[in-house]
Amino acid sequence: AIGHRGLATFDTFEPGENSALLASLDGWLDRWTRMRDLEHAASRAVPPLYLWGPSGSGKTHLLTALVATVQASGGRVAWLGDLSTEDPAAELGSNLDLFLIDDCDQLNPALQQAAFAAFVEAADAGFAIVAAGRTPPVDLPIREDLRTRLGWGEIHPVRPLSEAETRATLRQEADRRGIFLGDEIMAWLLSRFHRDLRSLMALLDRLDAYALANKRPVTLPLLRRMLEDEGRLP
């Protein structure tokens, strides 16, 4: 497959108004790095970290960047959510370094139980917990004991990009792929589709593949034809 899918790292995250958040994450990682070397597992635990913001604001990107950073230092990670194993509870244990919980606002009762079990285990095993959802913990539609634990540590909003920042980021990614997005295409996209960066990047990814498959440059007629083929023409 030919493509240019970017990696979800801190370097590829467009901060917008989230510069303070990135600094806080850097500080959290520094504390985690120092505490993981302590002899007793229970002493290694750091307060949980919770990120919240609307869909497409970059929460999963930041979680994935945390995974990459922890794994690069030799850490072991388990993920409860879209990227979880069938039995996330089986991943718990004293050799775990980081447990992530994504889409907290969408956890079904079984996943809520698995998330709560992670908090119980973390107290003894000393691994860190980082979670994300579309609302602050206090507003999550989940069981009270889990909601309380998610709200115990650091809580940070993830602010979506402005239209100008979204436009600049989309154009930068298109340039990286060798695609020229003219003002006509950009205006058409932003006026007819969700303006969150995740949706727009996914659309750009499909458009890139469609243009390659058809051996055509990216134009507004080609974009409309792709959406017509997908049954998504607005």
Side-chain angles (χ1 to χ4, degrees):
I2 301 174
H4 305 273
R5 188 183 302 276
L7 296 175
T9 67
F10 290 117
D11 288 338
T12 60
F13 181 77
E14 180 62 38
E17 298 182 11
N18 294 301
S19 296
L21 166 60
L22 291 177
S24 295
L25 290 178
D26 187 60
W28 187 91
L29 276 167
D30 181 63
R31 289 193 298 277
W32 173 82
T33 300
R34 286 185 280 106
M35 296 184 73
R36 69 177 296 203
D37 294 329
L38 296 177
E39 181 178 354
H40 299 291
S43 301
R44 293 198 297 265
V46 295
L49 177 69
Y50 183 87
L51 308 177
W52 68 274
S55 178
S57 57
K59 302 183 301 296
T60 301
H61 184 126
L62 291 172
L63 293 186
T64 306
L66 278 173
V67 169
T69 303
V70 170
Q71 289 180 332
S73 67
R76 185 167 174 265
V77 179
W79 189 309
L80 177 68
D82 290 341
L83 305 180
S84 70
T85 59
E86 289 188 11
D87 183 13
E91 300 292 329
L92 302 179
S94 58
N95 59 339
L96 189 66
D97 292 287
L98 178 63
F99 190 86
L100 293 106
I101 311 168
D102 203 2
D103 299 320
C104 288
D105 48 287
Q106 301 178 46
L107 297 178
N108 60 34
L111 292 178
Q112 290 179 43
Q113 177 58 38
F116 180 77
F119 273 99
V120 174
E121 183 72 16
D124 294 324
F127 56 82
I129 294 181
V130 177
R134 284 184 285 189
T135 67
V138 67
D139 295 326
L140 288 172
I142 57 176
R143 47 192 279 183
E144 179 63 26
D145 52 3
L146 177 57
R147 181 167 48 237
T148 301
R149 282 164 173 78
L150 287 169
W152 169 60
E154 294 186 34
I155 301 172
H156 298 285
V158 184
R159 306 188 188 283
L161 298 177
S162 67
E163 180 176 331
E165 291 165 339
T166 299
R167 185 185 293 264
T169 303
L170 192 60
R171 180 157 280 149
Q172 182 180 26
E173 176 62 15
D175 290 344
R176 190 181 68 84
R177 293 168 178 258
I179 298 173
F180 174 69
L181 283 186
D183 291 338
E184 183 184 31
I185 298 178
M186 188 74 71
W188 198 84
L189 286 173
L190 294 177
S191 64
R192 288 168 171 80
F193 292 92
H194 294 295
R195 295 186 181 185
D196 68 89
L197 198 56
R198 180 170 61 184
S199 298
L200 290 170
M201 287 297 189
L203 180 58
L204 183 62
D205 200 30
R206 301 200 311 274
L207 181 58
D208 189 13
Y210 190 83
L212 285 170
N214 287 273
K215 299 179 181 178
R216 299 277 304 277
V218 172
T219 61
L220 185 53
L222 185 75
L223 171 60
R224 292 175 62 89
R225 180 178 146 195
M226 181 194 78
L227 294 170
E228 202 168 61
D229 289 349
E230 294 178 346
R232 302 185 185 187
L233 187 65

